[in-house]
Amino acid sequence: QVQLVESGGGLVQAGGSLRLSCAASGRTFSGYKMGWFRQAPGNEREFVAAILWSGDMTYYADSVKGRFTISRDNAKNTVYLQMNSLKTEDAAVYYCAATFSGSVYVKSAYHYWGPGTQVTVSS
């Protein structure tokens, strides 16, 4: 069992930055692929970014490519999402998720989820 807890959400103006963190506990963090998803009101939960356990491969949704950066610190059992140049359409609840297998882009492939952290972007 892996427990995930996100932090770092909040209110930011358009054009600003936030860094989200996801702390993992329970089973060893190593070996898991980690992903970030987001869900705005009335929308489906959508893929944002993912990173392999080794950290040498990262994946991004087209909508955030060049603005968001995912990284991980396996020694701290933590994955991060640096969000720059935020837009109002980035506002959502952001979720951290972990999986051992399956496509990193598909939410049903993830076995563990955090409760989410709210990101609000004002214009």
Side-chain angles (χ1 to χ4, degrees), residues 7-26:
S7 61
L11 172 64
V12 63
Q13 284 192 323
S17 298
L18 280 176
R19 188 175 84 152
L20 305 184
S21 298
C22 172
S25 60

Side-chain angles (χ1 to χ4, degrees), residues 23-97:
S25 60
R27 285 185 60 178
T28 177
F29 189 55
S30 65
Y32 281 97
K33 295 181 278 190
M34 302 297 297
W36 286 97
F37 286 75
R38 66 187 182 188
Q39 187 168 18
N43 289 357
E44 294 284 324
R45 191 171 299 190
E46 64 176 7
F47 171 78
V48 175
I51 187 168
L52 301 187
W53 170 72
S54 60
D56 60 351
M57 290 293 291
T58 56
Y59 308 84
Y60 296 96
D62 288 342
S63 58
V64 307
K65 212 170 285 185
R67 300 187 297 121
F68 290 11
T69 303
I70 188 171
S71 61
R72 66 191 293 166
D73 185 337
N74 289 340
K76 295 182 178 179
N77 288 351
T78 302
V79 63
Y80 304 97
L81 185 67
Q82 177 66 43
M83 306 187 296
N84 298 330
S85 303
L86 281 160
K87 305 176 181 180
T88 54
E89 53 262 44
D90 294 318
V93 177
Y94 281 71
Y95 298 91
C96 172

